[in-house]
Amino acid sequence: MEIKSIILRHIKMDLLTPFTTSVGTEVDKDIILVEAKSKSGLSGWAESVAITQPIYNEETVKTNWHMMSDHLIPLLFQESVKHPDEVSERFRSIRGNFNAKAAIEGAVWDLYAKEQNIPLAEALGGVKDKIEVGVSVGIQYSQAAILKQIEGYLEEGYKRIKVKIKPGWDVEILRAVRKEFPDIQLMADANCAYTLKDIEYLKQLDDFGLTMIEQPLDHDDIVDHAKLQAQLNTPICLDESIHTYEDARKAIELGSCRIINLKIGRVGGLTESKKIHNLCVEHDIPMWCGGMLEAGIGRAHNIAITTLSNFTLPGDTAPSSHYWAQDIIDPEVVMENGYIYVPESSGIGYEPNRERIEDVTLFSRVFHS
Ligand SMILES: O=C(O)CCC(=O)c1ccccc1C(=O)O
Ligand SMILES: [Mg+2]
């Protein structure tokens, strides 16, 4: 592959509805788009999932811009890349900063798939032609409001409902949701809101037939999660705690979780995602693809990785219209009867809409190799 230049664009888009978790509320999204241009005239695209505040992980949009500009892009340009698997290896000397690494690597993956003239899903070893869609429901102002919202989502066809919880918005809400919708695939995501002191309290969740509870304890913990899992019937799913293949291996070994939520950005890219996927296959750990309120380009990457065989649970990759008045890709991501059909054209399979991207760009910078 001959990468001629990289363009970074800082874009900003309003979410259709604010999204509240146990750590904060997002009303709009600042996103860094990465475009990798080849000498052959093709462009590979990716977006960083970092948000403006370091409340999900330690990265932010600004730290990502710095890491990409001052460290990752210069490393990428040091020598040519034959296969995108080499990129994460080249970035290994840089600690952490997985969102930033994943965005650069993702653009190289898309470019690679386009040069091969195959869909990104195929380049990754995907096997599905459609993926199952779930939806993540933020914290609401009332129980009546969340019940009404979930009813609407079920009518739209979503196959799984994830309820964001925090102390004070947990047991009673889940009890009400389960009572109203006895048969749905239901789960809860705590985004680290509890500690081991809450074990007895969290045991009440076993009454609600949840598919899993996601990340109940600290963002950097795998030891206490193992202690909690030993006392809960409900499977624990880890999100924030898993950054690498090694984290996943250790969590599985300790019994810290029975399910893994994979986010490409959280683990530093698609190559590491494939490794974690294959590890989970070996250990019979089901997976699903998490979301970070992505715009269309990040969403397209999520669709591609979800086509791998072990993504057996519905993910958080909802259609474009769930988040945006207008997305930045053509066509937008749509859902039919709870499925997204995987595009068959090369690369990410959706065309970035340059006019729309121009409209939402605050500033940009070009790097030449
Ligand atoms: O993209 C989506 O629809 C789900 C979003 C989501 O749940 C989320 C969004 C931002 C930060 C963390 C999380 C999470 O999965 O924990
Ligand atoms: Mg989560």
Side-chain angles (χ1 to χ4, degrees), residues 174-189:
L174 290 167
R175 180 174 290 124
V177 173
R178 188 43 104 197
K179 187 161 171 247
E180 191 82 9
F181 309 104
D183 302 321
I184 62 169
Q185 199 179 137
L186 180 66
M187 62 173 287
D189 184 2

Side-chain angles (χ1 to χ4, degrees), residues 299-318:
R299 201 158 294 284
H301 281 262
N302 289 348
I303 293 168
I305 196 71
T306 305
T307 63
L308 271 65
S309 64
N310 198 44
F311 285 82
T312 52
L313 295 159
D316 274 348
T317 307

Side-chain angles (χ1 to χ4, degrees), residues 19 21 23 26 29 49 51 55-57 134-138 160 162 164 189-191 214-215 239-240 261 263 266 288-294 299 302 315-318 322-323:
F19 185 75
T21 70
V23 293
E26 307 297 317
K29 263 210 98 185
V49 296
I51 57 179
I55 54 176
Y56 168 77
N57 62 358
V135 65
S136 177
V137 187
R160 175 278 265 148
K162 161 167 139 182
K164 290 286 185 176
D189 184 2
N191 289 108
E214 184 178 347
Q215 196 74 34
D239 173 356
E240 281 89 334
N261 160 339
K263 292 178 180 171
R266 198 193 62 225
W288 54 281
C289 182
M292 292 292 286
L293 312 172
E294 288 89 347
R299 201 158 294 284
N302 289 348
D316 274 348
T317 307
H322 178 65
Y323 307 87

